Amino acid sequence: MPDVIAAVGTRFVERGQPALARELRKRAVTHGPTAEAYYQLAMVNVALDKPVVAREALRRAVEMDAGHLQAALRLGRLARQAGALVEAKSSLYRVVRLDPDSTEAMAELSALLHREGDHREAARLIERALASNKRKPSPETHVLAGEIFQSLGDGARALDCYTSAVALGGGEHGVAYHHAAKLHLAAGGANGLSAARDLYRGYLMARP
């Protein structure tokens, strides 16, 4: 029953009634808490822009069910955004350990490590994400990979990543076009200039 009440709460979120959804999910937790009920309660508080309350609910969800990977992933993401890096890394590494094909968790963790300056560990994880055959990495993951490889001085691999992001994301990922064009310009020569011009032209044509 708690999970059913929580599921009904999800419908209210979808209908733009997060306050009512939160009340239903509170009832779900009160009438017999489950990991899923706590996760759903957290999602409502995310919608209400209450990340502190959401993180506490996610902690409860993970405590009740260490295998609730959605809760662990969301907890890692919210902890990273709040600057709680120890908690973020712990939660995200848990997801990667339990689900080696979680490209989302690997990308989140890579971004965190990259910003901390641990570019090699970030590269190791992002390479795993890019190599996943079960879940295709998003254009954002390719852009992140390009930035990590650039930090390691590997311009060729970075360019490959940005090119993949452009191919996957069309005009929605201007940063990929920009980074790729800059690498072509840095290479110099007529070919580099021509490639950069074509990228910028392609971006303007692909924009919705």
Side-chain angles (χ1 to χ4, degrees):
M1 181 63 72
D3 289 350
V4 174
I5 298 173
V8 173
T10 301
R11 295 292 181 87
F12 283 110
V13 172
E14 294 169 351
R15 294 175 184 175
Q17 296 175 285
L20 185 54
R22 184 175 60 169
E23 181 59 33
L24 277 171
R25 285 171 177 168
K26 278 184 178 179
R27 289 187 194 177
V29 172
T30 303
H31 285 80
T34 65
E36 181 62 19
Y38 274 117
Y39 173 72
Q40 296 292 344
L41 179 62
M43 291 303 93
V44 173
N45 280 289
V46 168
L48 291 172
D49 196 23
K50 295 187 176 182
V52 175
V53 181
R55 280 173 63 196
E56 182 55 36
L58 290 168
R59 290 189 193 105
R60 295 284 187 88
V62 173
E63 286 170 5
M64 296 188 74
D65 180 4
H68 198 308
L69 300 184
Q70 285 180 304
L73 175 61
R74 180 67 71 161
L75 177 58
R77 184 175 295 156
L78 289 180
R80 179 177 67 80
Q81 292 169 355
L85 302 186
V86 173
E87 181 178 37
K89 283 191 278 191
S90 174
S91 191
L92 292 169
Y93 268 121
R94 177 191 290 125
V95 178
V96 172
R97 185 170 63 253
L98 296 176
D99 181 7
D101 290 306
S102 177
T103 55
E104 283 184 274
M106 285 185 276
E108 285 281 344
L109 195 47
S110 295
L112 190 160
L113 294 166
H114 177 51
R115 291 185 179 91
E116 284 190 324
D118 191 353
H119 305 306
R120 295 202 177 279
E121 176 65 1
R124 184 185 73 81
L125 286 165
I126 206 68
E127 282 179 334
R128 281 180 57 186
L130 294 176
S132 176
N133 293 320
K134 293 184 179 180
R135 300 175 196 169
K136 291 185 178 180
S138 66
E140 291 82 3
T141 298
H142 283 282
V143 171
L144 173 62
E147 292 171 348
I148 291 170
F149 290 132
Q150 266 194 279
S151 297
L152 292 170
D154 194 341
R157 292 193 71 185
L159 182 57
D160 285 343
C161 292
Y162 296 139
T163 302
S164 295
V166 167
L168 290 169
E172 297 179 2
H173 298 280
V175 65
Y177 283 87
H178 180 63
H179 285 333
K182 283 181 67 176
L183 285 172
H184 280 300
L185 288 171
N191 289 338
L193 289 171
S194 177
R197 183 183 63 243
D198 289 344
L199 275 165
Y200 282 123
R201 183 181 296 159
Y203 172 61
L204 291 173
M205 292 178 65
R207 291 181 66 185

mmCIF file of all heavy atoms in Angstrom, residues 125-161:
data_model
loop_
_atom_site.group_PDB
_atom_site.id
_atom_site.type_symbol
_atom_site.label_atom_id
_atom_site.label_comp_id
_atom_site.label_asym_id
_atom_site.label_seq_id
_atom_site.Cartn_x
_atom_site.Cartn_y
_atom_site.Cartn_z
ATOM 1 N N LEU A 125 36.947 6.377 -15.601
ATOM 2 C CA LEU A 125 35.511 6.152 -15.477
ATOM 3 C C LEU A 125 34.755 6.574 -16.730
ATOM 4 O O LEU A 125 33.827 5.887 -17.160
ATOM 5 C CB LEU A 125 34.973 6.908 -14.263
ATOM 6 C CG LEU A 125 35.337 6.290 -12.912
ATOM 7 C CD1 LEU A 125 35.090 7.287 -11.792
ATOM 8 C CD2 LEU A 125 34.539 5.022 -12.665
ATOM 9 N N ILE A 126 35.148 7.691 -17.320
ATOM 10 C CA ILE A 126 34.416 8.160 -18.498
ATOM 11 C C ILE A 126 34.665 7.231 -19.676
ATOM 12 O O ILE A 126 33.797 7.041 -20.532
ATOM 13 C CB ILE A 126 34.780 9.628 -18.845
ATOM 14 C CG1 ILE A 126 33.614 10.307 -19.596
ATOM 15 C CG2 ILE A 126 36.051 9.717 -19.668
ATOM 16 C CD1 ILE A 126 32.392 10.528 -18.780
ATOM 17 N N GLU A 127 35.843 6.616 -19.728
ATOM 18 C CA GLU A 127 36.112 5.631 -20.777
ATOM 19 C C GLU A 127 35.184 4.429 -20.637
ATOM 20 O O GLU A 127 34.697 3.882 -21.628
ATOM 21 C CB GLU A 127 37.575 5.184 -20.720
ATOM 22 C CG GLU A 127 38.536 6.193 -21.331
ATOM 23 C CD GLU A 127 39.978 5.742 -21.233
ATOM 24 O OE1 GLU A 127 40.305 4.954 -20.317
ATOM 25 O OE2 GLU A 127 40.775 6.179 -22.083
ATOM 26 N N ARG A 128 34.948 4.005 -19.388
ATOM 27 C CA ARG A 128 34.008 2.907 -19.151
ATOM 28 C C ARG A 128 32.598 3.287 -19.606
ATOM 29 O O ARG A 128 31.883 2.477 -20.190
ATOM 30 C CB ARG A 128 33.988 2.539 -17.665
ATOM 31 C CG ARG A 128 35.144 1.679 -17.216
ATOM 32 C CD ARG A 128 35.043 1.359 -15.736
ATOM 33 N NE ARG A 128 33.791 0.701 -15.402
ATOM 34 C CZ ARG A 128 33.406 0.414 -14.159
ATOM 35 N NH1 ARG A 128 34.175 0.752 -13.133
ATOM 36 N NH2 ARG A 128 32.254 -0.200 -13.927
ATOM 37 N N ALA A 129 32.225 4.530 -19.329
ATOM 38 C CA ALA A 129 30.894 4.992 -19.735
ATOM 39 C C ALA A 129 30.764 4.992 -21.257
ATOM 40 O O ALA A 129 29.746 4.555 -21.807
ATOM 41 C CB ALA A 129 30.628 6.384 -19.176
ATOM 42 N N LEU A 130 31.789 5.461 -21.946
ATOM 43 C CA LEU A 130 31.746 5.530 -23.406
ATOM 44 C C LEU A 130 31.741 4.141 -24.038
ATOM 45 O O LEU A 130 31.198 3.947 -25.129
ATOM 46 C CB LEU A 130 32.941 6.328 -23.943
ATOM 47 C CG LEU A 130 32.987 7.815 -23.589
ATOM 48 C CD1 LEU A 130 34.267 8.438 -24.114
ATOM 49 C CD2 LEU A 130 31.774 8.549 -24.146
ATOM 50 N N ALA A 131 32.350 3.172 -23.337
ATOM 51 C CA ALA A 131 32.459 1.817 -23.888
ATOM 52 C C ALA A 131 31.238 0.953 -23.610
ATOM 53 O O ALA A 131 31.159 -0.182 -24.101
ATOM 54 C CB ALA A 131 33.707 1.129 -23.323
ATOM 55 N N SER A 132 30.286 1.475 -22.835
ATOM 56 C CA SER A 132 29.118 0.676 -22.465
ATOM 57 C C SER A 132 28.295 0.304 -23.699
ATOM 58 O O SER A 132 27.936 1.153 -24.510
ATOM 59 C CB SER A 132 28.231 1.448 -21.478
ATOM 60 O OG SER A 132 27.065 0.714 -21.196
ATOM 61 N N ASN A 133 28.014 -0.985 -23.817
ATOM 62 C CA ASN A 133 27.204 -1.470 -24.931
ATOM 63 C C ASN A 133 25.717 -1.526 -24.580
ATOM 64 O O ASN A 133 24.864 -1.623 -25.457
ATOM 65 C CB ASN A 133 27.669 -2.875 -25.356
ATOM 66 C CG ASN A 133 29.052 -2.850 -25.966
ATOM 67 O OD1 ASN A 133 29.373 -1.945 -26.724
ATOM 68 N ND2 ASN A 133 29.870 -3.839 -25.640
ATOM 69 N N LYS A 134 25.416 -1.498 -23.282
ATOM 70 C CA LYS A 134 24.030 -1.650 -22.837
ATOM 71 C C LYS A 134 23.288 -0.320 -22.791
ATOM 72 O O LYS A 134 22.096 -0.249 -23.052
ATOM 73 C CB LYS A 134 23.992 -2.314 -21.462
ATOM 74 C CG LYS A 134 24.468 -3.758 -21.487
ATOM 75 C CD LYS A 134 24.321 -4.408 -20.120
ATOM 76 C CE LYS A 134 24.784 -5.863 -20.155
ATOM 77 N NZ LYS A 134 24.657 -6.513 -18.825
ATOM 78 N N ARG A 135 23.996 0.756 -22.411
ATOM 79 C CA ARG A 135 23.348 2.070 -22.306
ATOM 80 C C ARG A 135 24.201 3.101 -23.036
ATOM 81 O O ARG A 135 25.314 3.392 -22.624
ATOM 82 C CB ARG A 135 23.184 2.468 -20.842
ATOM 83 C CG ARG A 135 22.345 1.476 -20.058
ATOM 84 C CD ARG A 135 22.300 1.822 -18.601
ATOM 85 N NE ARG A 135 21.837 0.695 -17.820
ATOM 86 C CZ ARG A 135 21.890 0.627 -16.510
ATOM 87 N NH1 ARG A 135 22.376 1.639 -15.822
ATOM 88 N NH2 ARG A 135 21.455 -0.435 -15.873
ATOM 89 N N LYS A 136 23.652 3.617 -24.099
ATOM 90 C CA LYS A 136 24.430 4.562 -24.897
ATOM 91 C C LYS A 136 24.644 5.865 -24.126
ATOM 92 O O LYS A 136 23.695 6.427 -23.583
ATOM 93 C CB LYS A 136 23.713 4.845 -26.212
ATOM 94 C CG LYS A 136 23.696 3.643 -27.149
ATOM 95 C CD LYS A 136 23.073 4.009 -28.479
ATOM 96 C CE LYS A 136 23.096 2.806 -29.420
ATOM 97 N NZ LYS A 136 22.486 3.145 -30.722
ATOM 98 N N PRO A 137 25.882 6.335 -24.077
ATOM 99 C CA PRO A 137 26.150 7.609 -23.391
ATOM 100 C C PRO A 137 25.472 8.780 -24.101
ATOM 101 O O PRO A 137 25.309 8.782 -25.311
ATOM 102 C CB PRO A 137 27.677 7.744 -23.450
ATOM 103 C CG PRO A 137 28.204 6.549 -24.132
ATOM 104 C CD PRO A 137 27.073 5.734 -24.641
ATOM 105 N N SER A 138 25.085 9.757 -23.309
ATOM 106 C CA SER A 138 24.400 10.935 -23.844
ATOM 107 C C SER A 138 25.403 11.879 -24.497
ATOM 108 O O SER A 138 26.615 11.770 -24.290
ATOM 109 C CB SER A 138 23.700 11.664 -22.698
ATOM 110 O OG SER A 138 24.677 12.186 -21.798
ATOM 111 N N PRO A 139 24.918 12.842 -25.287
ATOM 112 C CA PRO A 139 25.820 13.855 -25.838
ATOM 113 C C PRO A 139 26.589 14.600 -24.740
ATOM 114 O O PRO A 139 27.767 14.923 -24.916
ATOM 115 C CB PRO A 139 24.866 14.801 -26.582
ATOM 116 C CG PRO A 139 23.701 13.950 -26.933
ATOM 117 C CD PRO A 139 23.541 12.986 -25.799
ATOM 118 N N GLU A 140 25.916 14.851 -23.594
ATOM 119 C CA GLU A 140 26.590 15.538 -22.483
ATOM 120 C C GLU A 140 27.768 14.728 -21.948
ATOM 121 O O GLU A 140 28.793 15.290 -21.563
ATOM 122 C CB GLU A 140 25.596 15.803 -21.352
ATOM 123 C CG GLU A 140 24.522 16.828 -21.666
ATOM 124 C CD GLU A 140 23.348 16.249 -22.442
ATOM 125 O OE1 GLU A 140 23.329 15.027 -22.704
ATOM 126 O OE2 GLU A 140 22.445 17.035 -22.794
ATOM 127 N N THR A 141 27.612 13.398 -21.953
ATOM 128 C CA THR A 141 28.710 12.539 -21.495
ATOM 129 C C THR A 141 29.889 12.629 -22.449
ATOM 130 O O THR A 141 31.049 12.655 -22.026
ATOM 131 C CB THR A 141 28.229 11.074 -21.379
ATOM 132 O OG1 THR A 141 27.180 11.016 -20.412
ATOM 133 C CG2 THR A 141 29.365 10.156 -20.939
ATOM 134 N N HIS A 142 29.610 12.697 -23.737
ATOM 135 C CA HIS A 142 30.689 12.845 -24.730
ATOM 136 C C HIS A 142 31.404 14.193 -24.561
ATOM 137 O O HIS A 142 32.636 14.270 -24.689
ATOM 138 C CB HIS A 142 30.132 12.713 -26.147
ATOM 139 C CG HIS A 142 29.851 11.296 -26.558
ATOM 140 N ND1 HIS A 142 30.838 10.421 -26.943
ATOM 141 C CD2 HIS A 142 28.691 10.605 -26.626
ATOM 142 C CE1 HIS A 142 30.301 9.244 -27.249
ATOM 143 N NE2 HIS A 142 28.990 9.330 -27.063
ATOM 144 N N VAL A 143 30.634 15.238 -24.286
ATOM 145 C CA VAL A 143 31.252 16.552 -24.064
ATOM 146 C C VAL A 143 32.145 16.515 -22.841
ATOM 147 O O VAL A 143 33.291 17.006 -22.859
ATOM 148 C CB VAL A 143 30.174 17.648 -23.908
ATOM 149 C CG1 VAL A 143 30.818 18.969 -23.448
ATOM 150 C CG2 VAL A 143 29.438 17.871 -25.226
ATOM 151 N N LEU A 144 31.645 15.929 -21.755
ATOM 152 C CA LEU A 144 32.447 15.801 -20.535
ATOM 153 C C LEU A 144 33.727 15.015 -20.807
ATOM 154 O O LEU A 144 34.817 15.408 -20.364
ATOM 155 C CB LEU A 144 31.635 15.106 -19.444
ATOM 156 C CG LEU A 144 32.381 14.738 -18.157
ATOM 157 C CD1 LEU A 144 32.906 15.989 -17.454
ATOM 158 C CD2 LEU A 144 31.479 13.938 -17.230
ATOM 159 N N ALA A 145 33.611 13.925 -21.561
ATOM 160 C CA ALA A 145 34.791 13.123 -21.901
ATOM 161 C C ALA A 145 35.816 13.966 -22.666
ATOM 162 O O ALA A 145 37.026 13.899 -22.404
ATOM 163 C CB ALA A 145 34.379 11.909 -22.722
ATOM 164 N N GLY A 146 35.312 14.777 -23.602
ATOM 165 C CA GLY A 146 36.215 15.642 -24.355
ATOM 166 C C GLY A 146 36.966 16.611 -23.455
ATOM 167 O O GLY A 146 38.182 16.820 -23.606
ATOM 168 N N GLU A 147 36.255 17.187 -22.496
ATOM 169 C CA GLU A 147 36.897 18.135 -21.575
ATOM 170 C C GLU A 147 37.944 17.441 -20.703
ATOM 171 O O GLU A 147 39.012 18.008 -20.422
ATOM 172 C CB GLU A 147 35.827 18.796 -20.703
ATOM 173 C CG GLU A 147 34.905 19.723 -21.498
ATOM 174 C CD GLU A 147 33.717 20.204 -20.682
ATOM 175 O OE1 GLU A 147 33.478 19.653 -19.579
ATOM 176 O OE2 GLU A 147 33.023 21.135 -21.146
ATOM 177 N N ILE A 148 37.648 16.211 -20.292
ATOM 178 C CA ILE A 148 38.609 15.458 -19.469
ATOM 179 C C ILE A 148 39.853 15.132 -20.283
ATOM 180 O O ILE A 148 40.986 15.307 -19.818
ATOM 181 C CB ILE A 148 37.955 14.173 -18.922
ATOM 182 C CG1 ILE A 148 36.882 14.535 -17.890
ATOM 183 C CG2 ILE A 148 39.003 13.251 -18.291
ATOM 184 C CD1 ILE A 148 36.010 13.363 -17.456
ATOM 185 N N PHE A 149 39.666 14.646 -21.514
ATOM 186 C CA PHE A 149 40.819 14.301 -22.347
ATOM 187 C C PHE A 149 41.641 15.544 -22.703
ATOM 188 O O PHE A 149 42.879 15.471 -22.788
ATOM 189 C CB PHE A 149 40.365 13.580 -23.613
ATOM 190 C CG PHE A 149 39.835 12.188 -23.346
ATOM 191 C CD1 PHE A 149 38.641 11.778 -23.903
ATOM 192 C CD2 PHE A 149 40.539 11.309 -22.536
ATOM 193 C CE1 PHE A 149 38.145 10.499 -23.652
ATOM 194 C CE2 PHE A 149 40.049 10.034 -22.275
ATOM 195 C CZ PHE A 149 38.853 9.617 -22.837
ATOM 196 N N GLN A 150 40.963 16.681 -22.872
ATOM 197 C CA GLN A 150 41.701 17.920 -23.101
ATOM 198 C C GLN A 150 42.581 18.267 -21.901
ATOM 199 O O GLN A 150 43.717 18.724 -22.056
ATOM 200 C CB GLN A 150 40.734 19.075 -23.384
ATOM 201 C CG GLN A 150 40.476 19.302 -24.858
ATOM 202 C CD GLN A 150 39.800 20.626 -25.124
ATOM 203 O OE1 GLN A 150 38.589 20.739 -24.979
ATOM 204 N NE2 GLN A 150 40.565 21.630 -25.513
ATOM 205 N N SER A 151 42.068 18.052 -20.705
ATOM 206 C CA SER A 151 42.838 18.322 -19.492
ATOM 207 C C SER A 151 44.077 17.449 -19.418
ATOM 208 O O SER A 151 45.087 17.838 -18.818
ATOM 209 C CB SER A 151 41.978 18.079 -18.239
ATOM 210 O OG SER A 151 40.884 18.961 -18.214
ATOM 211 N N LEU A 152 44.008 16.276 -20.041
ATOM 212 C CA LEU A 152 45.154 15.357 -20.059
ATOM 213 C C LEU A 152 46.046 15.590 -21.278
ATOM 214 O O LEU A 152 47.017 14.857 -21.485
ATOM 215 C CB LEU A 152 44.662 13.911 -20.042
ATOM 216 C CG LEU A 152 43.990 13.459 -18.740
ATOM 217 C CD1 LEU A 152 43.330 12.099 -18.930
ATOM 218 C CD2 LEU A 152 45.006 13.407 -17.604
ATOM 219 N N GLY A 153 45.719 16.597 -22.072
ATOM 220 C CA GLY A 153 46.541 16.931 -23.230
ATOM 221 C C GLY A 153 46.302 16.052 -24.445
ATOM 222 O O GLY A 153 47.113 16.050 -25.370
ATOM 223 N N ASP A 154 45.207 15.300 -24.458
ATOM 224 C CA ASP A 154 44.911 14.405 -25.575
ATOM 225 C C ASP A 154 43.868 15.056 -26.477
ATOM 226 O O ASP A 154 42.673 14.742 -26.422
ATOM 227 C CB ASP A 154 44.412 13.054 -25.049
ATOM 228 C CG ASP A 154 44.402 11.973 -26.126
ATOM 229 O OD1 ASP A 154 44.424 12.332 -27.311
ATOM 230 O OD2 ASP A 154 44.358 10.771 -25.768
ATOM 231 N N GLY A 155 44.333 15.978 -27.315
ATOM 232 C CA GLY A 155 43.429 16.728 -28.172
ATOM 233 C C GLY A 155 42.701 15.869 -29.192
ATOM 234 O O GLY A 155 41.538 16.132 -29.517
ATOM 235 N N ALA A 156 43.360 14.828 -29.695
ATOM 236 C CA ALA A 156 42.752 13.975 -30.712
ATOM 237 C C ALA A 156 41.533 13.235 -30.156
ATOM 238 O O ALA A 156 40.474 13.193 -30.783
ATOM 239 C CB ALA A 156 43.774 12.983 -31.248
ATOM 240 N N ARG A 157 41.695 12.676 -28.966
ATOM 241 C CA ARG A 157 40.568 11.955 -28.358
ATOM 242 C C ARG A 157 39.465 12.930 -27.966
ATOM 243 O O ARG A 157 38.282 12.623 -28.068
ATOM 244 C CB ARG A 157 41.029 11.157 -27.144
ATOM 245 C CG ARG A 157 41.939 9.997 -27.490
ATOM 246 C CD ARG A 157 42.129 9.059 -26.323
ATOM 247 N NE ARG A 157 40.926 8.301 -26.055
ATOM 248 C CZ ARG A 157 40.783 7.483 -25.025
ATOM 249 N NH1 ARG A 157 41.775 7.340 -24.153
ATOM 250 N NH2 ARG A 157 39.672 6.804 -24.839
ATOM 251 N N ALA A 158 39.870 14.106 -27.499
ATOM 252 C CA ALA A 158 38.873 15.119 -27.144
ATOM 253 C C ALA A 158 38.039 15.490 -28.364
ATOM 254 O O ALA A 158 36.806 15.583 -28.288
ATOM 255 C CB ALA A 158 39.566 16.354 -26.575
ATOM 256 N N LEU A 159 38.714 15.673 -29.507
ATOM 257 C CA LEU A 159 38.005 16.031 -30.732
ATOM 258 C C LEU A 159 37.034 14.928 -31.146
ATOM 259 O O LEU A 159 35.910 15.211 -31.579
ATOM 260 C CB LEU A 159 39.003 16.309 -31.853
ATOM 261 C CG LEU A 159 38.411 16.746 -33.190
ATOM 262 C CD1 LEU A 159 37.560 18.004 -33.017
ATOM 263 C CD2 LEU A 159 39.523 16.981 -34.213
ATOM 264 N N ASP A 160 37.448 13.663 -30.989
ATOM 265 C CA ASP A 160 36.549 12.548 -31.301
ATOM 266 C C ASP A 160 35.275 12.624 -30.443
ATOM 267 O O ASP A 160 34.169 12.372 -30.935
ATOM 268 C CB ASP A 160 37.251 11.213 -31.048
ATOM 269 C CG ASP A 160 38.268 10.881 -32.138
ATOM 270 O OD1 ASP A 160 38.197 11.494 -33.219
ATOM 271 O OD2 ASP A 160 39.123 10.009 -31.900
ATOM 272 N N CYS A 161 35.460 12.947 -29.166
ATOM 273 C CA CYS A 161 34.314 13.015 -28.249
ATOM 274 C C CYS A 161 33.376 14.157 -28.618
ATOM 275 O O CYS A 161 32.139 13.988 -28.637
ATOM 276 C CB CYS A 161 34.795 13.172 -26.815
ATOM 277 S SG CYS A 161 35.650 11.725 -26.162
#
